[in-house]
């Protein structure tokens, strides 16, 4: 039996586009005499549909598209993910399902059993879990069909009381097929492959796995669909961060090829490719064409500009230099040199007069108090007003350039440098910003070396450096990583060797600045624990604040 793996970039709620891609793949597979073509989880509507699932019209459109697609399933079968209705009158109204379609009709509907409800997932909000287990017989093969999380209750990761494959194994399947929407983070590729391999080894059955690819706002999907033999060795692996298609033969999948490396890319390569894809898909799926950003000469805006130019084309990115009286000549030159290096349009708009006007208006109300945070923030907000005015006038989308270290400790100005349509680096620590910049410069200098080596500064007051307010970034980022990603408490951090006053101060900054993060743009998620939908903390909580 020939099985095609169709790894497609779907668009949430874009039924016409999603169906067209599915039908085109089916027709392609038919010309290759493929017996079965497999699409990812919730392929019909895209993942995650979230509260769209609460609209009957949305669900009706899913079924309408399924029936339309079914008419193309002649001489071929298809497995397609879609919501389905629970007709039991008990439990949630919907299932997360896989539809097995052949001979122009729906032959079998398999529901997802394990519904993740952690980090970015909230599937139990919408779906009822499956409680019945049956294999699918097709072309002389017995298929154990599961959906994403159904294969993850294994080894030391037992989050559920039921393991679907334990039930399906009793029916002697020949092959496992798993359709998935497994979001990217830089650790996920290795974890996912090890988990899938454990299933193959435990049940001694080969596996076909088809994953989403593409970005849905902040959630990024890396693809990497694959076929594994019963030893957990990868027989066939599809591309990462792009659509792909491949055909495997079931009878040959169990060939032994020896050990192959599971991790194909370095952490920084993965983050780079994920961010480029995230920017591109955000613009494409919302119908945006051009981006704008403030280019300071610092490393964060420099990296954001390069990533945006790769994603959108340099001709579609407009950089605005917004120097103040505190901006160094070198910073201005670095910004100009970068714009020239990547051949993108730029302009310079000094903010001195804008800030002076605000200060003149506010002087009677500031009561002769000394220069401080209010005046510093006026500079950042003046820049934001100019950038948003240009955005409104010409239809640009403003890219936010704040990094994760800044977002974590509140080192940014609300309605100033924290504004934008999408946050490119909001899940990238400052130390990782340097790694990414050096990666981009690996073949030639694109980002001016001075932007990389000079002490980071917001340049909002004379001789200002980030280290005046924060620990050095190698220390800060490690504390933040252990607290945010690893959930280490203050005592654990102190036991790791960090100084208690530094730990207490940093953790307090993180927790007391939750209100700022609730007002930031969506952040492209590249880490196992990003700010946004996967990290839910109270704004007024007292813990560690």
């Amino acid at each position: 039996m020939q099985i095609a793996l169709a790894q497609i970039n779907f668009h949430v709620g874009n039924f016409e586009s999603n169906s067209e891609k599915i039908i085109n793949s089916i027709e392609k597979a038919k010309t290759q005499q493929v017996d079965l073509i497999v699409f990812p989880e919730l392929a019909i509507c895209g993942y995650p549909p979230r509260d769209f699932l609460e609209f009957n019209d949305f669900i009706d459109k899913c079924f309408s598209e399924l029936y339309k697609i079914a008419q193309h399933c002649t001489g071929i079968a298809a497995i397609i993910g879609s919501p389905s209705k629970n007709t039991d009158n008990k439990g949630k109204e919907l299932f997360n399902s896989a539809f097995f379609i052949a001979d122009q009709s729906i032959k079998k509907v398999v529901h997802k059993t394990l519904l993740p409800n952690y980090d970015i997932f909230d599937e139990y909000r919408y779906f009822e879990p499956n409680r019945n287990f049956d294999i699918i017989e097709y072309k002389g093969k017995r298929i154990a069909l599961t959906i994403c999380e159904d294969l993850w209750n294994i080894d030391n990761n037992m989050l559920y009381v039921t393991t679907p494959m334990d039930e399906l194994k009793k029916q002697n399947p020949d092959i496992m097929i798993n359709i998935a929407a497994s979001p990217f983070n830089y650790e996920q590729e290795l974890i996912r492959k090890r988990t899938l391999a454990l299933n193959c080894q435990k049940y001694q059955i080969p596996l076909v796995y088809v994953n989403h690819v593409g970005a849905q706002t902040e959630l990024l999907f890396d693809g990497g669909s694959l076929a594994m033999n019963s030893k957990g060795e990868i027989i066939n692996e599809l591309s990462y961060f792009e659509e792909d298609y491949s055909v495997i033969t079931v009878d040959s999948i169990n060939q032994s090829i020896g050990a192959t490396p599971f991790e194909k890319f370095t952490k920084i390569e993965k983050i780079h490719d994920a961010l480029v894809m995230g920017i591109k898909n955000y613009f494409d799926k919302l119908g945006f064409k051009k981006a704008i950003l403030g280019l300071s000469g610092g490393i964060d805006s420099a990296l954001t500009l390069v990533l945006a130019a790769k994603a959108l084309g340099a001709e579609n990115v407009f950089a605005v230099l917004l120097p103040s009286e505190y901006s160094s000549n070198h910073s201005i030159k670095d910004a100009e040199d970068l714009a020239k290096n990547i051949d993108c349009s730029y302009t310079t708009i000094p903010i001195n007069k804008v800030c002076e006007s605000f200060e003149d208006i506010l002087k009677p109300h500031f009561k002769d108090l000394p220069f401080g945070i209010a005046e510093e923030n006026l500079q950042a907000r003046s820049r934001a007003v100019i950038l948003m005015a240009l955005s409104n006038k010409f239809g640009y989308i403003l890219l936010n350039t704040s990094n994760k270290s800044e977002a974590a400790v509140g080192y940014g100005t609300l309605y100033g440098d924290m504004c934008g349509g999408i946050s490119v680096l909001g899940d990238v620590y400052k130390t990782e910003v340097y790694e990414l910049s050096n990666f981009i410069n690996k073949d030639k200098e694109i980002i001016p070396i001075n932007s990389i080596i000079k002490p980071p500064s917001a340049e909002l007051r004379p001789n200002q450096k980030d280290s005046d307010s924060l620990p050095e970034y190698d220390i800060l980022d490690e504390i933040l990583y252990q607290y945010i990603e690893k959930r280490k408490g203050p005592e654990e951090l102190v036991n790791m060797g960090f100084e208690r006053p530094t730990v207490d101060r940093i953790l307090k900054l993180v927790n007391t600045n939750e209100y700022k993060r609730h007002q930031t743009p969506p952040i492209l998620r590249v880490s196992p624990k990003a700010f946004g939908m996967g990290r839910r903390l109270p704004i007024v909580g007292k813990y560690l604040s």
Side-chain angles (χ1 to χ4, degrees), residues 7-21:
Q7 177 177 291
I8 293 175
N9 188 343
F10 296 105
H11 185 184
V12 172
N14 192 340
F15 295 102
E16 184 176 338
S17 172
N18 294 345
S19 292
E20 182 180 5
K21 289 185 174 185

PDB file of all heavy atoms in Angstrom, residues 7-21:
ATOM      1  N   GLN A   7       2.055  17.464   4.007  1.00  0.00           N
ATOM      2  CA  GLN A   7       2.392  18.443   5.045  1.00  0.00           C
ATOM      3  C   GLN A   7       2.088  19.847   4.494  1.00  0.00           C
ATOM      4  O   GLN A   7       2.798  20.354   3.634  1.00  0.00           O
ATOM      5  CB  GLN A   7       3.863  18.318   5.419  1.00  0.00           C
ATOM      6  CG  GLN A   7       4.360  19.321   6.443  1.00  0.00           C
ATOM      7  CD  GLN A   7       5.800  19.064   6.807  1.00  0.00           C
ATOM      8  OE1 GLN A   7       6.114  18.071   7.449  1.00  0.00           O
ATOM      9  NE2 GLN A   7       6.701  19.948   6.382  1.00  0.00           N
ATOM     10  N   ILE A   8       1.007  20.446   4.982  1.00  0.00           N
ATOM     11  CA  ILE A   8       0.460  21.652   4.360  1.00  0.00           C
ATOM     12  C   ILE A   8       0.372  22.785   5.380  1.00  0.00           C
ATOM     13  O   ILE A   8       0.131  22.577   6.567  1.00  0.00           O
ATOM     14  CB  ILE A   8      -0.924  21.347   3.750  1.00  0.00           C
ATOM     15  CG1 ILE A   8      -0.768  20.373   2.581  1.00  0.00           C
ATOM     16  CG2 ILE A   8      -1.636  22.616   3.284  1.00  0.00           C
ATOM     17  CD1 ILE A   8      -2.076  19.908   1.980  1.00  0.00           C
ATOM     18  N   ASN A   9       0.552  23.999   4.875  1.00  0.00           N
ATOM     19  CA  ASN A   9       0.396  25.213   5.678  1.00  0.00           C
ATOM     20  C   ASN A   9      -1.053  25.679   5.555  1.00  0.00           C
ATOM     21  O   ASN A   9      -1.437  26.304   4.571  1.00  0.00           O
ATOM     22  CB  ASN A   9       1.360  26.290   5.169  1.00  0.00           C
ATOM     23  CG  ASN A   9       1.394  27.519   6.065  1.00  0.00           C
ATOM     24  OD1 ASN A   9       0.506  27.727   6.892  1.00  0.00           O
ATOM     25  ND2 ASN A   9       2.407  28.349   5.880  1.00  0.00           N
ATOM     26  N   PHE A  10      -1.847  25.353   6.567  1.00  0.00           N
ATOM     27  CA  PHE A  10      -3.254  25.737   6.554  1.00  0.00           C
ATOM     28  C   PHE A  10      -3.453  27.111   7.189  1.00  0.00           C
ATOM     29  O   PHE A  10      -2.559  27.638   7.859  1.00  0.00           O
ATOM     30  CB  PHE A  10      -4.095  24.692   7.299  1.00  0.00           C
ATOM     31  CG  PHE A  10      -4.075  23.343   6.633  1.00  0.00           C
ATOM     32  CD1 PHE A  10      -3.330  22.290   7.158  1.00  0.00           C
ATOM     33  CD2 PHE A  10      -4.796  23.115   5.471  1.00  0.00           C
ATOM     34  CE1 PHE A  10      -3.307  21.051   6.553  1.00  0.00           C
ATOM     35  CE2 PHE A  10      -4.775  21.880   4.845  1.00  0.00           C
ATOM     36  CZ  PHE A  10      -4.034  20.843   5.391  1.00  0.00           C
ATOM     37  N   HIS A  11      -4.640  27.665   6.989  1.00  0.00           N
ATOM     38  CA  HIS A  11      -4.969  29.009   7.476  1.00  0.00           C
ATOM     39  C   HIS A  11      -6.271  28.903   8.254  1.00  0.00           C
ATOM     40  O   HIS A  11      -7.297  28.506   7.697  1.00  0.00           O
ATOM     41  CB  HIS A  11      -5.113  29.958   6.281  1.00  0.00           C
ATOM     42  CG  HIS A  11      -5.328  31.385   6.640  1.00  0.00           C
ATOM     43  ND1 HIS A  11      -5.549  32.362   5.700  1.00  0.00           N
ATOM     44  CD2 HIS A  11      -5.356  32.019   7.839  1.00  0.00           C
ATOM     45  CE1 HIS A  11      -5.689  33.522   6.289  1.00  0.00           C
ATOM     46  NE2 HIS A  11      -5.587  33.346   7.593  1.00  0.00           N
ATOM     47  N   VAL A  12      -6.246  29.236   9.542  1.00  0.00           N
ATOM     48  CA  VAL A  12      -7.417  29.065  10.396  1.00  0.00           C
ATOM     49  C   VAL A  12      -8.629  29.794   9.805  1.00  0.00           C
ATOM     50  O   VAL A  12      -8.583  30.993   9.534  1.00  0.00           O
ATOM     51  CB  VAL A  12      -7.143  29.571  11.825  1.00  0.00           C
ATOM     52  CG1 VAL A  12      -8.436  29.563  12.642  1.00  0.00           C
ATOM     53  CG2 VAL A  12      -6.090  28.706  12.513  1.00  0.00           C
ATOM     54  N   GLY A  13      -9.699  29.030   9.574  1.00  0.00           N
ATOM     55  CA  GLY A  13     -10.944  29.604   9.092  1.00  0.00           C
ATOM     56  C   GLY A  13     -10.993  29.916   7.612  1.00  0.00           C
ATOM     57  O   GLY A  13     -12.022  30.371   7.107  1.00  0.00           O
ATOM     58  N   ASN A  14      -9.909  29.655   6.890  1.00  0.00           N
ATOM     59  CA  ASN A  14      -9.887  29.920   5.447  1.00  0.00           C
ATOM     60  C   ASN A  14     -10.256  28.615   4.728  1.00  0.00           C
ATOM     61  O   ASN A  14      -9.416  27.919   4.162  1.00  0.00           O
ATOM     62  CB  ASN A  14      -8.512  30.404   5.014  1.00  0.00           C
ATOM     63  CG  ASN A  14      -8.497  30.966   3.612  1.00  0.00           C
ATOM     64  OD1 ASN A  14      -9.393  30.688   2.822  1.00  0.00           O
ATOM     65  ND2 ASN A  14      -7.479  31.742   3.285  1.00  0.00           N
ATOM     66  N   PHE A  15     -11.526  28.290   4.776  1.00  0.00           N
ATOM     67  CA  PHE A  15     -11.990  26.986   4.284  1.00  0.00           C
ATOM     68  C   PHE A  15     -11.702  26.788   2.800  1.00  0.00           C
ATOM     69  O   PHE A  15     -11.317  25.701   2.369  1.00  0.00           O
ATOM     70  CB  PHE A  15     -13.486  26.829   4.563  1.00  0.00           C
ATOM     71  CG  PHE A  15     -13.817  26.788   6.017  1.00  0.00           C
ATOM     72  CD1 PHE A  15     -14.343  27.900   6.665  1.00  0.00           C
ATOM     73  CD2 PHE A  15     -13.595  25.648   6.765  1.00  0.00           C
ATOM     74  CE1 PHE A  15     -14.646  27.863   8.013  1.00  0.00           C
ATOM     75  CE2 PHE A  15     -13.882  25.597   8.114  1.00  0.00           C
ATOM     76  CZ  PHE A  15     -14.414  26.717   8.744  1.00  0.00           C
ATOM     77  N   GLU A  16     -11.902  27.837   2.028  1.00  0.00           N
ATOM     78  CA  GLU A  16     -11.693  27.723   0.584  1.00  0.00           C
ATOM     79  C   GLU A  16     -10.244  27.381   0.261  1.00  0.00           C
ATOM     80  O   GLU A  16      -9.963  26.470  -0.539  1.00  0.00           O
ATOM     81  CB  GLU A  16     -12.090  29.029  -0.105  1.00  0.00           C
ATOM     82  CG  GLU A  16     -12.002  28.974  -1.615  1.00  0.00           C
ATOM     83  CD  GLU A  16     -12.490  30.251  -2.273  1.00  0.00           C
ATOM     84  OE1 GLU A  16     -13.257  30.997  -1.637  1.00  0.00           O
ATOM     85  OE2 GLU A  16     -12.085  30.508  -3.433  1.00  0.00           O
ATOM     86  N   SER A  17      -9.314  28.087   0.887  1.00  0.00           N
ATOM     87  CA  SER A  17      -7.902  27.834   0.645  1.00  0.00           C
ATOM     88  C   SER A  17      -7.485  26.461   1.166  1.00  0.00           C
ATOM     89  O   SER A  17      -6.767  25.715   0.493  1.00  0.00           O
ATOM     90  CB  SER A  17      -7.051  28.920   1.306  1.00  0.00           C
ATOM     91  OG  SER A  17      -5.677  28.607   1.248  1.00  0.00           O
ATOM     92  N   ASN A  18      -7.921  26.122   2.378  1.00  0.00           N
ATOM     93  CA  ASN A  18      -7.562  24.828   2.964  1.00  0.00           C
ATOM     94  C   ASN A  18      -8.059  23.674   2.098  1.00  0.00           C
ATOM     95  O   ASN A  18      -7.330  22.715   1.823  1.00  0.00           O
ATOM     96  CB  ASN A  18      -8.125  24.707   4.374  1.00  0.00           C
ATOM     97  CG  ASN A  18      -7.501  25.696   5.346  1.00  0.00           C
ATOM     98  OD1 ASN A  18      -6.465  26.289   5.058  1.00  0.00           O
ATOM     99  ND2 ASN A  18      -8.137  25.892   6.488  1.00  0.00           N
ATOM    100  N   SER A  19      -9.309  23.766   1.661  1.00  0.00           N
ATOM    101  CA  SER A  19      -9.880  22.700   0.831  1.00  0.00           C
ATOM    102  C   SER A  19      -9.167  22.594  -0.510  1.00  0.00           C
ATOM    103  O   SER A  19      -8.921  21.488  -1.003  1.00  0.00           O
ATOM    104  CB  SER A  19     -11.371  22.967   0.597  1.00  0.00           C
ATOM    105  OG  SER A  19     -12.086  22.829   1.795  1.00  0.00           O
ATOM    106  N   GLU A  20      -8.840  23.743  -1.084  1.00  0.00           N
ATOM    107  CA  GLU A  20      -8.144  23.731  -2.373  1.00  0.00           C
ATOM    108  C   GLU A  20      -6.804  23.015  -2.258  1.00  0.00           C
ATOM    109  O   GLU A  20      -6.433  22.208  -3.123  1.00  0.00           O
ATOM    110  CB  GLU A  20      -7.942  25.158  -2.863  1.00  0.00           C
ATOM    111  CG  GLU A  20      -7.265  25.254  -4.225  1.00  0.00           C
ATOM    112  CD  GLU A  20      -7.065  26.683  -4.694  1.00  0.00           C
ATOM    113  OE1 GLU A  20      -7.367  27.620  -3.917  1.00  0.00           O
ATOM    114  OE2 GLU A  20      -6.597  26.869  -5.833  1.00  0.00           O
ATOM    115  N   LYS A  21      -6.078  23.277  -1.176  1.00  0.00           N
ATOM    116  CA  LYS A  21      -4.790  22.610  -0.967  1.00  0.00           C
ATOM    117  C   LYS A  21      -4.978  21.109  -0.780  1.00  0.00           C
ATOM    118  O   LYS A  21      -4.188  20.299  -1.289  1.00  0.00           O
ATOM    119  CB  LYS A  21      -4.069  23.219   0.232  1.00  0.00           C
ATOM    120  CG  LYS A  21      -3.531  24.627  -0.005  1.00  0.00           C
ATOM    121  CD  LYS A  21      -2.729  25.114   1.188  1.00  0.00           C
ATOM    122  CE  LYS A  21      -2.064  26.446   0.893  1.00  0.00           C
ATOM    123  NZ  LYS A  21      -1.167  26.894   1.988  1.00  0.00           N
TER     124      LYS A  21
END
